Amino acid sequence: MTSLRRRAILRGAVAATAAAGTTGTASAAPTTRTGKPRSAVDGLLNLFAATPVVALDEGAHHLQDTWDFLAVVMQHPRFDAVDAVVVEFGNSRYQNVADAYVSGEIVRRSDLQPIWRDTTQSPNSNGDFPALERVFSLTRAINLYGGRTRPLRVLLPDPPIDWLSVTGSDDLFALLPQRNQTWSNVIIREVLDPGRRCIAVGGGTHFFRGLPNPSRTVTAMIEQRHPGSVSVVRTHSTVAEGREAAVEATVAGWPRPAIAPARRIAYGALPATDVFGPGSYPPGLIEGLADKTVADLCDHVLCLGRRTELTSAVLDWQVYYEPTYWAELNRRKTLVYPTSDLEDLRHEGEPTMFPN
């Protein structure tokens, strides 16, 4: 399956960073409106001084650059002040397994895999990409050898689906509307109520402000209980068809990576519809953004590179040749998405995120 086809289904390097911060400086970038981009690692970590939750838009599902950037941030000494990483592809049913593994206990890989394989997004979309598994192994290494003053957790926000109990599409479809509520409940219960901090990584429509029916986003649900507790970061990636050049022009000259306040840069003044690429969206979403700007959706904009430089976190396609796993995915398909074609999962995806 190509990265573009996979995203259509899904909608429904410390040294490198240091080099980027020295070879391209914020002063070299053009001043746009009244703001300037700054080094992204320090800039993102600074957000925790203002809010305990940083909601990082993945940009596009399976954007390798976002996960690489996250790995760099997690290893920064200042990340010691952050208590958890929340990943969209994580079944909350297995939180105890995740806690055991990242705390240093010996856990079989076959016991870890259901965390990202048995989510409400299966069978069409699975978390079988190495960059996601790295979040767990890196957290474990940081806890064991990083000298942190307090443990780091990986929190799982997807509803606790038990696929062995699913007998038809109604069982799955009853859980899908609960995703944002479950996600916000996890962050409120495990992070905000105890006075902790987290970075949450996932699809932007879970986080963006100003969407139609805005009270149903993760950000809105959290801030109903804890007002002003979330910083929303848009990652430059998807762009509406025909608007590529106009959007890219607003980040021309930015160092890689860089971050800037949305309301102080030209990118933030773009129409909100400019950052929604081709794909499937909830009815009325695009139409409901007609009078919005990007700055109405997010607080900051993160640029990890121009679109032609961004890479796809290609699925580990070879795992779909495991007979037991393949049979289970096809069982799920028959139950809930009988017309789906899973065969593309068994082919290596393209590493270029946006080939055109």
Side-chain angles (χ1 to χ4, degrees), residues 84-312:
V85 180
V86 190
V87 292
E88 179 175 355
F89 271 88
N91 186 336
S92 56
R93 175 182 172 87
Y94 302 104
Q95 185 64 61
N96 62 329
V97 178
D99 287 340
Y101 177 72
V102 302
S103 68
E105 292 185 28
I106 298 175
V107 178
R108 288 182 179 272
R109 189 162 182 264
S110 58
D111 291 329
L112 284 175
Q113 288 170 328
I115 290 173
W116 54 82
R117 287 184 170 183
D118 292 359
T119 72
T120 59
Q121 304 305 286
S122 184
N124 289 325
S125 174
N126 307 291
D128 293 303
F129 57 101
L132 176 60
E133 186 172 352
R134 180 178 62 188
V135 174
F136 295 86
S137 60
L138 180 57
T139 301
R140 176 186 172 92
I142 289 171
N143 283 332
L144 288 175
Y145 313 118
R148 281 180 60 96
T149 59
R150 51 189 176 185
L152 180 64
R153 298 179 70 193
V154 179
L155 296 177
L156 315 177
D158 204 53
I161 187 172
D162 177 5
W163 271 102
L164 293 180
S165 299
V166 173
T167 60
S169 58
D170 288 348
D171 294 332
L172 173 63
F173 297 159
L175 290 173
L176 292 178
Q178 301 176 27
R179 295 187 72 216
N180 283 358
Q181 186 67 68
T182 303
W183 199 331
S184 61
N185 288 346
V186 167
I187 292 177
I188 291 170
R189 181 182 68 248
E190 302 293 338
V191 178
L192 292 175
D193 284 353
R196 298 168 182 156
R197 298 182 180 91
C198 76
I199 182 169
V201 186
T205 54
H206 295 288
F207 303 137
F208 289 154
R209 309 180 194 278
L211 300 182
N213 195 13
S215 65
R216 303 307 300 167
T217 66
V218 174
T219 300
M221 291 178 183
I222 290 173
E223 294 195 326
Q224 286 169 9
R225 284 277 302 274
H226 294 268
S229 61
V230 182
S231 292
V232 179
V233 180
R234 149 74 182 175
T235 300
H236 171 57
S237 54
T238 55
V239 174
E241 189 172 1
R243 294 292 294 164
E244 295 86 356
V247 175
E248 292 262 272
T250 65
V251 294
W254 281 37
R256 182 185 188 190
I259 195 169
R263 293 204 177 276
R264 298 178 59 196
I265 55 174
Y267 196 109
L270 291 168
T273 52
D274 278 5
V275 297
F276 285 86
S280 300
Y281 299 101
L285 188 146
I286 300 299
E287 295 80 0
L289 296 174
D291 62 343
K292 305 289 185 181
T293 66
V294 171
D296 292 321
L297 303 180
C298 63
D299 304 306
H300 291 77
V301 172
L302 171 68
C303 181
L304 299 175
R306 299 180 71 85
R307 283 163 43 87
T308 55
E309 299 171 321
L310 300 178
T311 56
S312 172

